[in-house]
Amino acid sequence: MTTLPPSPPEDRFPAGRAAFPHRDLTGIGQLERHEVLYILDQAQRWVELNRQRSKHAELLSGLTIINAFFENSTRTLLSFEIAGKRLGADVVNMVAATSSLKKGETLIDTAITLNAMRADAIVIRHGSSGATQLIADKVDCPVLNAGDGSHEHPTQALLDALALRHALAERGEASEDFTGRTITICGDILHGRVARSSLLCLQALGATVRLCAPPALMPAGIEAMGAQVFDDFDAALEGSDVVMMLRLQSERMAGQFIPSAREYRHRYGLTAKRLKRAASDLLVMHPGPMNRGVEIDSEVADLAGRSLVTRQVEMGVAIRMACLDILTRAARGVEGWETQA
Ligand code: NCD
């Protein structure tokens, strides 16, 4: 028998606001700080369940979740699939290569089709920024963004925050947010949706965020979002508590953005040599997939105690379980959750 860890107290919401007020999760940009904290707290329950031998909860039993992925994914798709199944839902994966999209069906037609099948939640990954919102506007159930173009990837940012919370707690530095911490995100900031979602999430949790990239891979005017901008990685690392490495998103690049992979590694790679020069307790993160030997050396990626890469994957399932649970509460008739819209 599975013992379900207790639900944390529902004390995150300001007086008079009983429920998480959103029907969809399209981006971190839509969330307030207490809503981010609420999701992280809720996910802790699922971390504990996922560490038991029997990992089944029947919370979403009878519901159908469609994972509609119009862009390649390994860990995010698998993570959402496992999350839905552990909560007892029927999970169906639709991947672009086998869908009518190849026959020229529009995104809106696909949305209408998924809706007609009476899905109870739809998880979308798509190559175009804004695709999730477009689908959300056309369907009657909650829609979760699993990455839309270079716009947002909210569950990735949430799982990163949870992984970091755990790592800090294990060092005896437990705190609910990241006030006083400096976190550097280094890599292809221009094309990376993780950079945008993480920036918003980490800032909401009180961190100082540094963004580091070659000038060609840094969006113009990004300082307006409150980030400190660097093009010198060593300077960015100085005083950082955490570094998040991002992959070069070559599939989104039209033309040549960097002189060569070798040159890129030299200036922006988290090499073993560079890590030695950084603070001895610097934590290393990467959302995957990693290009080992380009933005991160294998020795660094696999460094026990410092690299959180596998921890991030673990937390991903728990975060997605929390999001699926929270967003389906209105439809499941959970008391106090009628107001999600
Ligand atoms: C990220 C993505 O797809 O945006 N990966 C992921 O979800 N684990 C980052 C990336 O592709 O580089």
Side-chain angles (χ1 to χ4, degrees):
M1 250 304 275
T2 308
T3 347
L4 201 57
S7 192
E10 310 252 322
D11 58 2
R12 288 281 183 209
F13 297 106
R17 291 246 310 268
F20 186 83
H22 314 283
R23 190 200 71 171
D24 308 300
L25 179 63
T26 51
I28 300 292
Q30 76 180 111
L31 301 180
E32 292 184 40
R33 171 188 152 88
H34 68 271
E35 293 165 350
V36 170
L37 289 171
Y38 184 71
I39 298 173
L40 299 182
D41 291 351
Q42 290 280 309
Q44 187 51 35
R45 186 182 191 211
W46 305 120
V47 173
E48 287 161 33
L49 178 78
N50 291 339
R51 289 178 178 175
Q52 295 182 28
R53 195 195 66 81
S54 173
K55 303 170 182 61
H56 249 266
E58 294 306 320
L59 229 58
L60 305 195
S61 163
L63 303 194
T64 302
I65 298 173
I66 302 182
N67 293 324
F69 277 54
F70 302 97
E71 209 186 46
N72 285 345
S73 167
T74 316
R75 80 203 73 216
T76 305
L77 177 59
L78 203 58
S79 181
F80 266 110
E81 183 175 2
I82 292 173
K85 286 182 171 163
R86 286 196 181 156
L87 290 175
D90 297 314
V91 182
V92 184
N93 294 338
M94 188 197 87
V95 286
T98 53
S99 81
S100 283
L101 277 200
K102 291 272 163 194
K103 300 176 200 158
E105 189 171 78
T106 67
L107 191 57
I108 290 178
D109 282 334
T110 308
I112 293 168
T113 305
L114 297 179
N115 200 45
M117 289 175 180
R118 295 190 160 270
D120 297 291
I122 301 177
V123 180
I124 304 283
R125 168 168 286 203
H126 198 281
S128 304
S129 304
T132 315
Q133 189 60 57
L134 196 76
I135 292 188
D137 293 342
K138 295 280 170 220
V139 302
D140 302 316
C141 67
V143 172
L144 291 87
N145 185 359
D148 61 332
S150 48
H151 174 229
E152 278 232 39
H153 191 356
T155 56
Q156 180 68 45
L158 291 164
L159 75 85
D160 288 343
L162 189 61
L164 193 50
R165 241 196 199 184
H166 272 247
L168 293 172
E170 274 168 23
R171 282 188 176 178
E173 298 170 25
S175 80
E176 75 166 19
D177 70 8
F178 307 131
T179 303
R181 309 270 173 195
T182 299
I183 302 172
T184 292
I185 305 176
C186 178
D188 185 352
I189 311 288
L190 183 65
H191 301 101
R193 51 202 173 201
V194 176
R196 189 183 167 80
S197 290
S198 285
L199 171 64
L200 293 168
C201 187
L202 295 168
Q203 283 180 333
L205 297 177
T208 299
V209 182
R210 297 178 175 174
L211 300 176
C212 178
L217 292 174
M218 185 68 82
I222 189 86
E223 297 87 349
M225 287 180 77
Q228 299 175 358
V229 172
F230 289 76
D231 64 1
D232 177 336
F233 191 21
D234 293 299
L237 282 179
E238 191 152 347
S240 288
D241 301 291
V242 183
V243 63
M244 265 181 199
M245 299 306 298
L246 299 178
R247 171 181 78 86
L248 292 169
Q249 308 263 318
S250 16
E251 72 278 23
R252 289 185 226 292
M253 292 181 193
Q256 184 91 5
F257 280 78
I258 55 158
S260 72
R262 204 166 149 221
E263 169 75 8
Y264 183 82
R265 173 175 182 269
H266 178 66
R267 297 199 53 193
Y268 297 99
L270 193 58
T271 58
K273 217 166 117 193
R274 188 164 265 133
L275 189 73
K276 277 204 192 85
R277 292 202 298 266
S280 61
D281 57 355
L282 177 79
L283 292 167
V284 177
M285 306 180 78
H286 195 307
M290 292 185 279
N291 291 315
R292 291 171 181 264
V294 182
E295 77 272 6
I296 191 163
D297 280 4
S298 269
E299 296 162 72
V300 178
D302 303 330
L303 195 60
R306 302 279 297 282
S307 165
L308 306 186
V309 173
T310 52
R311 176 72 60 93
Q312 289 170 266
V313 178
E314 179 193 5
M315 296 301 149
V317 179
I319 283 290
R320 285 155 187 145
M321 290 169 84
C323 293
L324 289 170
D325 166 27
I326 293 168
L327 295 180
T328 55
R329 284 181 194 170
R332 285 187 283 130
V334 176
E335 210 191 314
W337 287 80
E338 302 81 7
T339 55
Q340 281 174 297

